[in-house]
Amino acid sequence: MTHRSDWPAGYFIGERGPQADAALVDAFRKLPVPNIGDCMGRSTGAMGLTAYHNDANLVLCGPALTVKVRPGDNLMIHKAIEMAQPGDVIVVEGAGDLTQALIGGLMRTSAQTRKIAGFVIDGAIRDLNEWAEGGIAVWARGNTLRGPSKEGPGEVNSRVSCAGLVVSPGDLIVGDADGVIAIPYDQLTTLLPRVEAHALREAKIRASNQSGTSDPERFNAILRAKGCPV
């Protein structure tokens, strides 16, 4: 096995991360991202990203293939696309830089051919009209017409920090109209039943709200506990 010390400074291509069972991925695909976030402490989730795929109903759910790049350079993203398996989500640490786009329409075409599920980019994209055609998800920090360099350095399949998310290869990325979240691989099996139960509780509350039978004690008890007489 190749070790990081064998690579030139600033360059590294690691092994794929662990791959979640397909049934587990499908189960998370059916759950709203806010419910997942609620069960992860309400303090995790990508910040400052915009969906550019023009499809509010599109759900992104797949294992992370991670990339770390120098701001404005996409050499290692090209390598990640070449390495990707169907259903992968390419997650890019790009330092939030908006001076040069990291991916565009031509890379979108390559990604579609390889059946990549989508991209989460802490940086800029371009060719917005093509991304708006849908068919592949993309969240990014912003956009610019200015293209990237292809010199490196960069890394593939190392731990990255992307828009407030810490993501390791193989972590499950889930994205919907509300945003994007990363679930550590080793938490998937324990988290799933908690999120499913949370979704059921919310469905019951929603039904009582709609019928006008919601219980005021739900919040009155909290107020009394804080010393507020109600």
Side-chain angles (χ1 to χ4, degrees):
M1 179 181 294
T2 301
H3 298 282
R4 184 180 292 270
S5 59
D6 299 325
W7 292 84
Y11 294 84
F12 177 73
I13 299 174
E15 301 292 328
R16 286 181 63 83
Q19 302 300 292
D21 179 79
L24 198 59
V25 175
D26 287 341
F28 272 106
R29 191 189 309 277
K30 299 171 185 175
L31 295 168
V33 167
N35 286 173
I36 298 171
D38 285 350
C39 293
M40 294 179 71
R42 297 191 169 189
S43 59
T44 186
M47 302 291 290
L49 300 185
T50 297
Y52 286 94
H53 43 264
N54 195 35
D55 183 355
N57 294 317
L58 188 152
V59 176
L60 175 68
C61 190
L65 196 167
T66 60
V67 188
K68 185 181 298 185
V69 300
R70 176 174 60 81
D73 188 279
N74 72 358
L75 175 64
M76 285 301 195
I77 304 176
H78 282 279
K79 182 60 180 176
I81 291 173
E82 175 194 317
M83 295 170 58
Q85 299 295 317
D88 280 352
V89 178
I90 295 181
V91 180
V92 181
E93 176 181 332
D97 179 73
L98 299 180
T99 61
Q100 291 173 273
L102 292 175
I103 60 173
L106 295 179
M107 296 172 77
R108 173 181 177 271
T109 303
S110 296
Q112 285 185 300
T113 300
R114 299 194 69 86
K115 301 186 186 304
I116 292 170
F119 294 86
V120 181
I121 308 284
D122 196 3
I125 66 170
R126 69 176 186 175
D127 304 320
L128 298 191
N129 288 339
E130 294 181 55
W131 291 106
E133 292 174 6
I136 182 169
V138 62
W139 276 265
R141 179 76 65 175
N143 69 282
T144 178
L145 61 86
R146 297 169 62 178
S149 60
K150 294 173 174 59
E151 301 291 337
E155 299 181 0
V156 177
N157 281 332
S158 61
R159 180 174 289 185
V160 300
S161 175
C162 177
L165 296 174
V166 176
V167 184
S168 295
D171 288 354
L172 188 66
I173 305 299
V174 188
D176 63 17
D178 281 292
V180 180
I181 202 164
I183 309 170
Y185 173 82
D186 60 6
Q187 295 180 22
L188 289 171
T189 55
T190 56
L191 184 64
L192 178 60
R194 292 173 53 205
V195 181
E196 290 176 329
H198 184 73
L200 288 174
R201 285 195 300 271
E202 283 207 347
K204 291 178 181 178
I205 294 170
R206 188 175 297 109
S208 66
N209 290 344
Q210 291 172 337
S211 65
T213 59
S214 57
D215 183 5
E217 187 61 16
R218 180 185 174 203
F219 296 111
N220 286 344
I222 298 174
L223 288 169
R224 282 195 297 273
K226 294 181 180 297
C228 179
V230 290

